[in-house]
Amino acid sequence: MLPIKSILLGADAPRVLTVPMIASVLADRRKVPSHNTIFKWIREQTGNGALRPVTRGLYINQLASPRPAAAEAAAFVRSGAIVSLQTVLGEAGVTNNYPDIITCVVPQSPERSPSVRPVRANRIEYRFHALPARLLDSRAGELEDRMNLDVQYPRSTPEKALLDWIYLGGSPRTKIALPPIDIDMELLDRDRLERLAAKMGLDARLKDYLSRARVLAGGGTKSAP
């Protein structure tokens, strides 16, 4: 069996692992390791803290560099999930942060109705909200406007996260409230926000949101002190 360092350490190591992925990295040229060998190795690595269990059969590699965040496993927990909403805005400093909750959006279409049931795993909660697929693909804007390209997993830009939240908060199909208006708008790219709003058909909703934010700020250009 390969030594732990050759599998889990370093910038090129897998950051999130499923059991089939673990079987693949443990395999040598002669044969695939047995079921018992795989799960013995998993128990050893979870026991020494190298692997962090997320859900059954899903693990975060704690030895990868830089250390993976729990958000990186979201798309494995629910296929198609994109980290967005409160998580993205909170970590960007735009709103309050909730580090134990990972909020995501998942695409919905006539052919696919995704589960939005929350998943609680190892002191982390993943929450999912369905959005029409047209609001999550190229129809919603350019890739660099929609997605944070500096990370290795599906994650919205803060501007897209705010618009996702505005859409959901105004939808009768969800229970999520509109985003708070006392947020730090200066941390957002206003041009990107307006481009995305136009593509997503949310110009009027964004204008109303920003108007209420300006009222709260006393007519200033910043929506939060």
Side-chain angles (χ1 to χ4, degrees):
M1 186 180 297
L2 293 171
I4 183 173
K5 287 186 178 180
S6 65
I7 297 171
L8 299 179
L9 285 176
D12 295 327
R15 301 174 65 76
V16 180
L17 291 159
T18 62
V19 172
M21 291 168 67
I22 291 171
S24 177
V25 298
L26 290 179
D28 59 29
R29 294 182 179 179
R30 296 186 300 276
K31 62 179 180 178
V32 175
S34 69
H35 180 278
N36 288 340
T37 297
I38 294 169
F39 282 92
K40 179 182 178 182
W41 188 86
I42 290 173
R43 287 193 298 271
E44 290 173 351
Q45 306 318 320
T46 55
N48 64 27
L51 293 180
R52 177 184 180 184
V54 181
T55 58
R56 185 176 182 181
L58 181 63
Y59 306 88
I60 293 174
N61 177 10
Q62 298 283 80
L63 301 184
S65 179
R67 177 176 289 190
E72 298 187 39
F76 291 85
V77 175
R78 186 79 77 240
S79 177
I82 301 171
V83 178
S84 185
L85 307 166
Q86 295 97 324
T87 295
V88 169
L89 291 169
E91 292 181 2
V94 179
T95 63
N96 291 328
N97 192 21
Y98 302 93
D100 295 333
I101 299 174
I102 309 299
T103 52
C104 310
V105 291
V106 287
Q108 185 174 39
S109 67
E111 299 78 28
R112 183 190 182 211
S113 183
S115 171
V116 293
R117 186 164 43 90
V119 174
R120 296 174 179 84
N122 198 30
R123 301 186 301 279
I124 293 292
E125 181 176 344
Y126 295 87
R127 293 183 185 176
F128 304 94
H129 301 275
L131 282 180
R134 63 178 175 80
L135 298 180
L136 294 176
D137 59 24
S138 59
R139 290 170 289 180
E142 298 296 331
L143 183 63
E144 58 268 25
D145 280 345
R146 294 181 287 114
M147 303 296 288
N148 183 344
L149 303 181
D150 293 328
V151 298
Q152 301 178 35
Y153 62 98
R155 183 184 180 95
S156 297
T157 59
E159 296 78 16
K160 181 64 165 59
L162 177 61
L163 289 166
D164 288 348
W165 197 347
I166 288 174
Y167 175 86
L168 289 167
S171 172
R173 298 180 180 179
T174 69
K175 296 180 179 179
I176 187 173
L178 284 164
I181 56 177
D182 58 337
I183 70 173
D184 193 342
M185 286 295 298
E186 289 187 351
L187 295 176
L188 298 177
D189 183 325
R190 187 64 171 264
D191 291 339
R192 172 183 284 168
L193 188 63
E194 292 177 354
R195 286 195 302 270
L196 286 168
K199 285 285 190 177
M200 296 172 71
L202 296 177
D203 305 73
R205 293 196 202 181
L206 176 62
K207 183 177 179 181
D208 177 67
Y209 174 81
L210 295 177
S211 295
R212 290 185 292 111
R214 282 194 293 269
V215 169
L216 178 67
T221 59
K222 182 179 176 182
S223 66

